[in-house]
């Protein structure tokens, strides 16, 4: 846990502690108070759009969300820094809740619930108001799906292993596959109790935010002055250390027709390009880099 970046670590701790409390104190009905209710229900409160993402319906639900947060969240926090990562996480979570509310509104009208005073649930006949209060969404899945999208867009060609697929797949195809699965599940008639629309909502709001940042590189400058930028300082330091450990330029001649002066000039130019790219990341974030700049940074890391 000591090696985890700040926000990822605290999100893991908060989610686990809240789940432990709800498990140890079931009579407190935490999920009923802080879970996200349908906005036309009497038990809905605006704050639930924030609090619902820290609650979970069971251990399996919690485990898979926290595993994905640990696996992908720490990477994105290192890339973006803590403040930008936390802002993105909350936007995706709240956006997922808004999309879930819209999906429930569609159900409310399609099934004609507005026209009935009572609803037959199959086991009992209750008032429509009581029935609407049963629509309660919990979980960090919307925010987590937003993080998966961010990882896939930032490192599209990174190969990852996903059980039970026996071979590594590129992150971009992993994200596309998950989105397609959620889309199919959301339009199918199965009632599995999973908020598929919320998952898609987290990805949608994450996509819109990332695209906005990319089209307006300076818009996220307020997030850049944070401890997360130490990650790029370490990258630059690693480049400089590797450079210092290489043999002297007077003993290396990469091409037979190149003089020492020409080689030194070319070497300094390459280093200047890398420094400029790292400075750009520090000011505007990794997403502001062009494809060529990302490739140059990747190539430099292997030199």
């Amino acid at each position: 846990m000591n090696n985890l970046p700040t926000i990822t670590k605290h999100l893991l701790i908060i989610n686990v502690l809240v789940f432990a409390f709800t498990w140890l104190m079931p009579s407190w009905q935490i999920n009923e108070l802080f879970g996200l209710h349908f906005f036309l229900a009497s038990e809905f409160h605006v704050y639930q759009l924030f609090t619902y993402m820290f609650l979970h319906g069971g251990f399996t639900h919690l485990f898979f969300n926290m595993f994905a947060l640990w696996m992908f969240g720490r990477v994105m926090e290192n890339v973006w820094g803590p403040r930008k990562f936390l802002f993105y996480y909350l936007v995706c979570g709240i956006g997922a809740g808004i999309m879930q509310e819209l999906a429930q509104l569609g159900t409310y009208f399609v099934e004609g619930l507005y026209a009935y005073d009572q609803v037959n649930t199959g086991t009992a006949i209750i008032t429509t108001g009581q029935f609407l209060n049963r629509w309660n969404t919990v979980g960090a899945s919307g925010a987590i799906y937003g993080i998966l999208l961010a990882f896939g867009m930032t490192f599209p060609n990174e190969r990852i292993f996903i059980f039970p697929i026996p071979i590594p797949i590129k992150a971009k195809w992993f994200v596309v596959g998950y989105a397609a699965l959620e889309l199919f599940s959301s339009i199918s008639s199965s009632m599995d109790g999973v908020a598929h629309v919320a998952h898609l909502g987290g990805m949608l709001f994450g996509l819109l935010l990332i695209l906005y940042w990319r089209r307006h590189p300076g818009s996220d400058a307020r997030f850049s002055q944070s401890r997360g930028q130490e990650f790029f300082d370490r990258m630059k330091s690693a480049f400089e250390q590797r450079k210092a450990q290489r043999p002297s330029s007077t003993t290396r001649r990469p091409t037979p027709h190149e003089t020492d002066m020409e080689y030194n000039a070319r070497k300094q130019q390459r280093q200047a390009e890398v420094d400029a790219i790292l400075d750009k990341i520090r000011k505007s974030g990794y997403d502001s880099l062009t494809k060529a700049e990302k490739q140059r940074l990747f190539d430099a890391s292997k030199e």
Side-chain angles (χ1 to χ4, degrees):
M1 291 287 285
N2 292 332
N3 295 327
L4 285 175
T6 303
I7 299 302
T8 301
K9 178 170 65 176
H10 284 90
L11 286 174
L12 288 169
I13 292 172
I14 292 172
N15 278 277
V16 171
L17 288 179
V18 171
F19 178 78
F21 185 81
T22 57
W23 183 69
L24 293 173
M25 305 290 291
S27 61
W28 282 56
Q29 297 183 329
I30 299 299
N31 285 6
E32 293 300 319
L33 289 172
F34 298 106
L36 180 59
H37 289 273
F38 180 43
F39 73 94
L40 293 179
S42 61
E43 294 182 4
F44 169 77
H45 300 281
V46 174
Y47 65 77
Q48 293 169 353
L49 283 167
F50 172 79
T51 57
Y52 89 99
M53 68 181 85
F54 297 97
L55 303 169
H56 289 84
F59 177 78
T60 302
H61 190 198
L62 173 75
F63 174 80
F64 282 106
N65 276 346
M66 295 304 99
F67 179 76
L69 175 60
W70 168 80
M71 185 173 181
F72 300 104
R74 57 179 179 167
V75 177
M76 294 312 304
E77 184 177 351
N78 277 331
V79 171
W80 282 342
R83 286 188 289 180
K84 182 174 179 179
F85 174 74
L86 178 60
F87 179 79
Y88 178 85
Y89 182 92
L90 294 178
V91 167
C92 290
I94 294 173
I98 292 174
M99 293 301 294
Q100 180 67 6
E101 291 289 311
L102 292 177
Q104 290 175 344
L105 180 64
T107 301
Y108 177 77
F109 281 106
V110 169
E111 296 188 358
L113 294 175
Y114 59 89
Y116 297 95
D117 295 326
Q118 295 181 324
V119 175
N120 187 346
T121 65
T123 58
I125 296 178
I126 60 177
T127 66
T128 302
Q130 291 175 319
F131 180 73
L132 295 180
N133 279 324
R134 291 187 176 186
W135 292 2
N136 189 10
T137 305
V138 296
S141 300
I144 298 301
Y145 271 75
I147 292 176
L148 295 180
L149 175 82
F151 183 87
M153 293 183 68
T154 306
F155 305 100
N157 295 316
E158 183 72 20
R159 295 183 180 273
I160 56 179
F161 281 97
I162 300 297
F163 181 82
I165 302 175
I167 58 174
I169 61 174
K170 291 185 177 181
K172 59 184 177 182
W173 301 126
F174 167 70
V175 171
V176 170
Y178 249 101
L181 178 63
E182 288 301 317
L183 180 60
F184 172 79
S185 299
S186 66
I187 61 178
S188 66
S189 59
S190 62
M191 302 294 291
D192 55 6
V194 178
H196 297 291
V197 173
H199 298 171
L200 290 170
M203 299 182 85
L204 174 62
F205 272 72
L207 174 64
L208 294 175
L209 186 55
I210 290 174
L211 291 178
Y212 178 81
W213 282 337
R214 288 185 175 181
R215 292 176 182 176
H216 305 83
S219 62
D220 61 347
R222 62 187 179 277
F223 300 112
S224 299
Q225 304 302 320
S226 63
R227 287 183 295 172
Q229 293 305 312
E230 294 175 1
F231 172 72
F232 299 107
D233 293 335
R234 292 196 298 270
M235 285 177 60
K236 186 171 183 178
S237 177
F239 280 124
E240 292 173 347
Q241 289 177 6
R242 190 157 50 245
K243 172 185 172 185
Q245 293 170 356
R246 293 170 185 158
S248 172
S249 61
T250 58
T251 62
R252 290 184 62 198
R253 296 287 297 276
T255 62
H257 303 293
E258 189 176 40
T259 66
D260 291 337
M261 184 178 296
E262 290 171 338
Y263 171 66
N264 287 334
R266 183 165 59 85
K267 187 177 179 181
Q268 290 176 359
Q269 182 182 5
R270 290 203 308 269
Q271 186 60 44
E273 290 175 355
V274 171
D275 290 344
I277 293 173
L278 292 174
D279 288 338
K280 184 176 181 181
I281 293 174
R282 185 179 295 105
K283 293 177 182 178
S284 304
Y286 182 86
D287 288 333
S288 66
L289 299 185
T290 64
K291 185 176 180 180
E293 288 171 333
K294 292 178 182 179
Q295 185 62 46
R296 182 69 191 94
L297 191 63
F298 178 75
D299 293 340
S301 68
K302 299 167 68 174
E303 292 178 355

